[in-house]
Structures are given as C-alpha cells and as structure tokens.
Amino acid sequence: MPALDQWTSSAARDDLALLREAAREAGAIAMRYFGNNPQVWMKGGTSPVSEADHAADAYLRETLLRARPDYGWLSEETADDHARLSARRTFVVDPIDGTRGFLDGLHAWCVSVAVVEDGRSLAGVLECPAKRETYWALPGEGAYLNDKRIHVRPLGESVDIGGPKPLVDLMPQAWHGRLRRTAYIPSLAYRLAMIAAGKLDATFVKPNAHDWDIAAADLILTEAGGALLDRTGKPPRYAGEVINHGALAAGSGELLGVLARVIAGIDHG
C-alpha cells in the first residue's frame, strides 16, 4: 500500500494514537471479565456475545466518537446505522474478536479497531491483552508488534496454514506434502496477525467474515509484506453498504497466489 500524503498521514497518526489508547483501555475492561464467567447471550441463535463485549463496545463508542464526532461508526455489537455512509471516515470495531475463545479461557482474542476512508484502512490496532501483545500499522510505515517491526516470513519447505479444512483440501496436490494445518484459532484478526508476525504462513477465510473482523488486521498484514485477497484477487474494501465478504485468502508471495487461485475456482464464495 502506498504511503499517504502528508496531510492524511498526519491525521492518520493522530487517529492511530487515539486507537491505541482506546484499545488498550477496552482490553483492560475485557480482562476484568476474562475467566470470570461473564453473562452470555446468543445472537441469531448461534453466535455468543457477552457482557464483556458490550462493556468494551460501549467504552470504545463513547471514547472514539467523543474524540471524532464527525466519523462514522461500524461495530459488531452496535446496530448498524447507514448514516455512517455519509461520513468521510469510519471507525470499524470489534470489541472482542474471538468471543468463543474468550469465553473458553483461550488467550488468542483481540480488541480490533480501525479507521477507514474510501474503503481502505488508514490506521489499525489489535490489542490482545491476554497475550500481552499490541499490533498496529499505518499505510506505508510498516507493521509493529509491541513497537517492534514485524514481517511475514519467507516460504520454507513446510507450510503452516490455517482455515477451514475443505478449503485447505482444495490446495494443489503438489503442496499437500508440505502443509501443516494449524490448530483452530478463534480470532480471525489474530490469525491474520500471526501471518504478519511470521508465526503462520497463510490462511483461508471462510465466507461471511465481516469488516470488523478484518479491517485492522488487513492493514497490519499488508504493512508486514503480506496481503488479504478476495476471489477476484483484490483486497477487500470496508465500511461500505455491504459489510461481509466471500471466501478470502491471506499470506504472501507464491503461496498466496496458490490460495487465491483456490478460492477463485470455488463455486460459492
């Protein structure tokens, strides 16, 4: 992704500072509930949401919109208001990405916050307090984990890959002997961050990921030298009228090209 112009870069830096501080506090709020049996409800009969999600979301919405009242708001835990479509920039938020894992006591969950303009992320932060990890990025300025710059790792003989088994099984036969399927990671944002940090090589993403799952992590992965692509081979766009996506592929280099061809060839995505 190209570097931003000077004016936009200055605004993005200010937004990044705001996101980092807000995400840090939202993570602290979530940690008060972590391992303490928070109240849980089911959304749509299948997806859990807890009082920790609601508490972190309420804090983020109040804090971020107080600081930037002209920005739009798109969050997993807030009813969508299409008035955001008239805003130049939009906060895209998942107060706890990986709620199932959070409720199961697993550590791989994050507060995910991004600022989006014209469909692309201008600043992104993943606050992962149970891991004591903070990922962040600005366009053209690299990706960082706890203030240390991170990069995707070079392709080796063995390939660590995540995502749904049916998609992994569609990889070309010549690759099958090199693939090592990683254990399930409940937070999609964290899975993408693992690729950015060189802890994982690639992942498929099953259809119906939402903007709040990936807007921040996408920027972090891109700035680390990787990419997230849809079945047309293009990066997703965010904060528009449609906020969910078909099958996606994440990784870098030759391997990403292979994954992208797999999802391009499936009937539905």
Side-chain angles (χ1 to χ4, degrees), residues 21-88:
E21 182 59 34
R24 185 180 302 114
E25 180 57 32
I29 290 170
M31 284 297 289
R32 295 171 197 159
Y33 296 89
F34 186 56
N36 289 320
N37 297 314
Q39 188 173 0
V40 178
W41 303 268
M42 299 302 290
K43 298 183 297 184
T46 58
S47 180
V49 59
S50 75
E51 57 182 323
D53 297 82
H54 287 169
D57 188 68
Y59 169 80
L60 288 167
R61 185 174 187 184
E62 178 184 355
T63 300
L64 296 177
L65 290 181
R66 182 173 64 239
R68 304 284 191 271
D70 56 329
Y71 283 24
W73 179 261
L74 177 62
S75 168
E76 181 173 15
E77 306 307 342
T78 307
D80 192 12
D81 182 353
H82 279 195
R84 64 179 170 77
L85 296 174
S86 63
R88 180 177 180 182

Side-chain angles (χ1 to χ4, degrees), residues 5-261:
D5 61 62
Q6 185 174 358
W7 183 88
T8 304
S9 179
S10 176
R13 287 177 186 278
D14 290 344
D15 282 348
L16 177 65
L18 173 65
L19 293 184
R20 290 186 68 179
E21 182 59 34
R24 185 180 302 114
E25 180 57 32
I29 290 170
M31 284 297 289
R32 295 171 197 159
Y33 296 89
F34 186 56
N36 289 320
N37 297 314
Q39 188 173 0
V40 178
W41 303 268
M42 299 302 290
K43 298 183 297 184
T46 58
S47 180
V49 59
S50 75
E51 57 182 323
D53 297 82
H54 287 169
D57 188 68
Y59 169 80
L60 288 167
R61 185 174 187 184
E62 178 184 355
T63 300
L64 296 177
L65 290 181
R66 182 173 64 239
R68 304 284 191 271
D70 56 329
Y71 283 24
W73 179 261
L74 177 62
S75 168
E76 181 173 15
E77 306 307 342
T78 307
D80 192 12
D81 182 353
H82 279 195
R84 64 179 170 77
L85 296 174
S86 63
R88 180 177 180 182
R89 296 193 178 102
T90 299
F91 291 115
V92 179
V93 172
D94 192 340
I96 299 179
D97 186 72
T99 297
R100 289 184 187 275
F102 175 90
L103 295 173
D104 288 341
L106 303 179
H107 287 196
W109 55 270
C110 318
V111 178
S112 174
V113 287
V115 171
V116 170
E117 180 181 351
D118 293 331
R120 63 175 183 163
S121 297
L122 297 185
V125 175
L126 299 178
E127 178 71 21
C128 314
K131 288 275 192 179
R132 298 185 179 179
E133 295 175 353
T134 304
Y135 298 82
W136 56 270
L138 289 173
E141 300 195 11
Y144 295 82
L145 165 57
N146 294 345
D147 295 325
K148 180 179 179 181
R149 191 157 183 175
I150 55 174
H151 304 274
V152 297
R153 69 189 184 192
L155 184 62
E157 186 58 34
S158 296
V159 175
D160 294 317
I161 189 168
K165 185 177 184 297
L167 288 176
V168 176
D169 288 345
L170 292 175
M171 289 283 286
Q173 191 63 38
W175 285 83
H176 281 204
R178 299 174 63 180
L179 301 179
R180 298 186 302 198
R181 292 194 65 233
T182 191
Y184 174 66
I185 301 162
S187 165
L188 173 54
Y190 192 76
R191 200 189 322 159
L192 298 178
M194 288 178 67
I195 301 173
K199 302 174 184 177
L200 184 67
D201 291 296
T203 190
F204 287 105
V205 179
K206 67 182 180 180
N208 208 39
H210 287 75
D211 287 0
W212 47 72
D213 300 311
I214 57 178
D218 184 358
L219 177 59
I220 293 163
L221 175 58
T222 299
E223 287 299 311
L228 179 67
L229 303 176
D230 65 20
R231 66 193 307 241
T232 71
K234 297 178 181 178
R237 295 183 65 82
Y238 303 113
E241 291 190 23
V242 178
I243 58 171
N244 61 336
H245 304 269
L248 302 169
S252 63
E254 174 193 3
L255 179 59
L256 176 58
V258 175
L259 269 68
R261 288 191 290 275

